[in-house]
Amino acid sequence: MLKPVFRHAPPDDLPVVEPVAAVPDALRGAAESAHFAAKPGQLLEPAAVPRRLLAGIGAGARYDLERAGAAVARHWSGIPHVALDARDLSALQAAELLAGFCLGAWRFDRHRKRDDTPRLKRVTVATPHRDAAREAWARAETAVRGTLFARDLVSEPANHLTTKEFARRLRGLTKHGIEVEILGPKRLARDGFGALLAVGSGSAHGPRLAVLRWRGTLDAPPVAFVGKGIVFDTGGISIKPAHGMEAMRADMAGAAACAGAILSLALRNSPAPAVAVLAIAENATGAGSYRPGDVLRTLSGRTVEVVDTDAEGRLVLADALHHALCFKPRAVVDLATLTGAIVSALGTHRAGLFGNDAALMASLAATGEQVGERLWPMPIGESHRVDLASDIADIRQCVPSSRGEGGWAARFIPDASHAAAFLREFAGGVPWAHLDIAGVDTLIRPHALGPAGATGWGVRLLDALVAARFEEEDHHAVPWTAAP
Ligand code: BES
Ligand code: MN
Ligand code: ZN
C-alpha cells in the first residue's frame, strides 16, 4: 500500500489535487461545461492550469472524502507521485481523502508476467495539522489495509487459493496479534462438522474451519463474524451452467471480509473482543461428492435433507454459526455470497440484510450508509420456516424449484429468504444478522472506491459497526426483539 508523506505545503514540482466543496467562482464557466458540481467523486481538470485537479467532496463526510480520493487515484493512476492539497480540510478529512486514494489505487497484478503500465507509487499530503493528520491516518489506514487484504484474497483464483492456501494466508495474521486456529478434515470429522465435511467431500482439497480471535481489552463477550469461504463453487452434482462459472472463485468473499475486519480491529488495537469463524471448502464434483437427497448430521445435531448441492453456502454456515455460539457472543453477523436470488432482488448496489434483532440490524443499516456499503432489509417469517419442513430430516436445505410444473406461483421461490430462514435455525437465538453479499462482492465495472473486480465489501462496514456499537462494555444490554 502507498505510504504517504505529510508536509505543510504541496511541493511545486508535483501534480496537485485540490478538494473542493463547491465550484470556485473563477472556474464557473469551465465547471459548467464539464458538468462539474463538486459532488463527491466528480473531477475537474481546468484547461488553463496544467497538473491541477479539482476533486468534489460534497458535504465533506467520510464517504464523500473517500470517493473523492478514489476518483483521483483512478484518474491519475499513471502518474507516479501526486500531492493532495488538504490545507482546507481537517486532519480527519485528510486521512479519509487519503484512505479513498489508497483504495482507488489498488490493483491485483500478481499473475501478470510483466506489467510496465506506469503506476501511482507515492503520495504527498499537504496539511497544516501534520501530527493530527498522521494520527488520523494511523487509524483510517487500518480499515484500508483490511479491505485490501480481503480484495487480494477474493481476486485470487481457486487453483492458487486452495482451502489449504487460504488457511495458510490466515495463519499469517498471527503476526498482528490475532490468534488463529485452523481445524482440518480429521478434527472436523471428530467434532461432528457433518455439513461442512459433506460440502467439501467432492474436492481433492479438504475443508477447513478457521477461527480468528482478537482479544481486545473490554470485559465483554466478543462480537462474532461468520463467513462463507467457498474457494470455488461448481455447484457440485447439481452442477452450475458453464457460462459465468469463473465468477465462483469469489465465493469466499464473506470469509475474506470477516478476516479483513479482524485484521483492521487488530491494526488499530480496538478494545472490542471479536472472533471470526470461517467455513472454508471447495464445492467440487468427485467420487466422494455429497448428493441431492442425502441426509447430513450438522454440528448442532440437527439433520438436514440436501435438495440441491449448489445450495452449499447455507450448509457450511450452519456448522460455522453453531461453532460461533461456543464463544458466547454478544452478537453474530454472518457474511455470505449466498444466493442468486438476492442479486435479482437488489442488484449490485445493496446487500440483503436479514436477522432476528431490530437494533443490530438498524446499526448495520445506518453504518452501511456512512461507509457506502449499503444494505436493504429483507424478510424472514414463519412461512419460510414452514417451507423448510422435510419428509425425512429435521429440516430441508431449500425448496426445490419446479421447472415450470406446479403452477405459476411455484416458479417464484424466495430463496434468499429461505436461505436466511435456514441459517436462523442455527443462530441459537442470540442477536444475529445475515448479510447476503452475492451482488456486491465483485463488480464488473469500476466502482466508487476501486477498479472492476473484488470490492472488499463488508470490511469497512464491520470495522465501523464495532467502533459504533461494541467498543463499550454495556452495549450488550440493549434490548432486542426477535422478528416474527
Ligand atoms: N454462490 C452461489 C450464489 C451466488 C450466485 C453468488 C451468483 C454470486 C453470484 C450459491 O452457492 C448458489 O449457488 N446458490 C444457488 C441456490 C439454489 C441452488 C437454491 C442459487 O442462487 O442459484
Ligand atoms: Mn452454490
Ligand atoms: Zn456458493
Side-chain angles (χ1 to χ4, degrees):
M1 202 176 79
L2 294 163
K3 286 259 171 292
V5 177
F6 294 89
R7 300 254 236 123
H8 284 296
D12 297 330
D13 55 337
L14 292 183
V16 176
V17 178
E18 218 178 286
V20 291
V23 178
D25 285 337
L27 292 170
R28 224 154 258 288
E32 204 157 298
S33 52
H35 301 288
F36 177 83
K39 291 199 184 118
Q42 282 191 330
L43 302 175
L44 181 67
E45 214 166 3
V49 203
R51 309 210 310 161
R52 177 161 161 244
L53 187 60
L54 266 61
I57 60 165
R62 169 179 172 169
Y63 186 47
D64 298 332
L65 270 309
E66 288 173 336
R67 276 182 287 176
V72 169
R74 180 166 170 213
H75 187 78
W76 273 354
S77 63
I79 298 181
H81 188 179
V82 305
L84 307 178
D85 186 351
R87 284 176 295 181
D88 289 339
L89 302 181
S90 70
L92 178 63
Q93 287 178 315
E96 290 166 343
L97 182 71
L98 191 51
F101 187 84
C102 291
L103 289 166
W106 172 86
R107 296 292 181 274
F108 185 72
D109 291 326
R110 273 194 79 199
H111 298 293
R112 295 184 205 279
K113 183 166 172 232
R114 247 189 85 206
D115 188 11
D116 27 24
T117 36
R119 280 286 145 76
L120 272 169
K121 290 199 182 68
R122 293 176 65 190
V123 57
T124 293
V125 183
T127 169
H129 329 282
R130 281 204 306 177
D131 290 344
R134 273 196 200 101
E135 222 166 90
W137 173 240
R139 189 178 159 112
E141 177 194 21
T142 63
V144 177
R145 285 175 65 186
T147 301
L148 301 188
F149 178 75
R151 283 186 188 175
D152 282 339
L153 285 168
V154 173
S155 306
E156 203 66 83
N159 61 327
H160 292 268
L161 196 79
T162 58
T163 55
K164 188 172 165 192
E165 172 62 13
F166 197 172
R168 193 190 66 81
R169 297 251 195 131
L170 294 173
R171 233 181 255 116
L173 294 175
T174 332
K175 65 171 177 285
H176 302 292
I178 297 165
E179 293 166 31
V180 181
E181 188 189 12
I182 310 285
L183 312 189
K186 276 194 201 121
R187 174 72 191 278
L188 295 173
R190 174 148 59 81
D191 292 356
F193 287 79
L196 177 56
L197 281 163
V199 168
S201 63
S203 171
H205 309 278
R208 303 281 191 279
L209 189 93
V211 178
L212 314 179
R213 267 197 111 167
W214 172 248
R215 296 274 173 182
T217 49
L218 277 192
D219 184 18
V223 53
F225 307 142
V226 174
K228 169 177 173 182
I230 300 297
V231 295
F232 194 77
D233 182 10
T234 65
I237 285 179
S238 316
I239 199 162
K240 285 183 181 295
H243 180 78
M245 203 202 278
E246 67 280 4
M248 286 302 119
R249 66 176 173 222
D251 209 18
M252 31 55 71
C258 294
I262 296 279
L263 172 59
S264 174
L265 297 183
L267 290 172
R268 67 181 174 78
N269 202 13
S270 165
V275 58
V277 179
L278 313 178
I280 300 171
E282 179 180 10
N283 190 21
T285 56
S289 287
Y290 78 128
R291 321 155 187 78
D294 283 359
V295 174
L296 313 175
R297 189 185 158 84
T298 63
L299 184 67
S300 73
R302 234 150 337 149
T303 58
V304 177
E305 176 190 3
V306 177
V307 171
D308 189 315
T309 62
D310 197 11
E312 82 296 341
R314 63 199 79 180
L315 294 176
V316 301
L317 288 172
D319 280 353
L321 282 166
H322 187 80
H323 188 68
L325 300 179
C326 298
F327 301 96
K328 307 235 175 311
R330 62 206 282 198
V332 178
V333 181
D334 78 68
L335 274 75
T337 47
L338 204 61
T339 69
I342 203 67
V343 193
S344 303
L346 299 177
T348 59
H349 298 291
R350 286 179 185 267
L353 170 62
F354 303 81
N356 63 6
D357 184 305
L360 177 63
M361 289 166 73
S363 292
L364 278 159
T367 307
E369 297 298 320
Q370 281 162 20
V371 304
E373 293 179 345
R374 296 194 167 112
L375 295 154
W376 200 253
M378 297 287 289
I380 9 175
E382 192 47 41
S383 62
H384 301 110
R385 183 177 279 130
V386 174
D387 289 348
L388 294 177
S390 166
D391 292 338
I392 184 174
D394 296 332
I395 187 173
R396 67 177 172 178
Q397 166 210 31
C398 59
V399 176
S401 63
S402 64
R403 304 248 180 258
E405 298 144 35
W408 183 82
R411 277 189 284 139
F412 301 101
I413 294 170
D415 182 53
S417 290
H418 284 148
F422 180 87
L423 298 181
R424 174 176 60 179
E425 298 298 323
F426 298 89
V430 299
W432 158 75
H434 156 58
L435 314 188
D436 192 336
I437 63 168
V440 296
D441 62 311
T442 56
L443 292 171
I444 57 173
R445 291 187 203 297
H447 56 97
L449 297 185
T455 56
W457 198 103
V459 175
R460 290 161 55 260
L461 173 65
L462 293 179
D463 179 68
L465 177 82
V466 169
R469 200 183 153 91
F470 294 112
E471 296 192 339
E472 276 158 33
E473 255 141 53
D474 59 355
H475 224 112
H476 60 293
V478 169
W480 61 278
T481 41

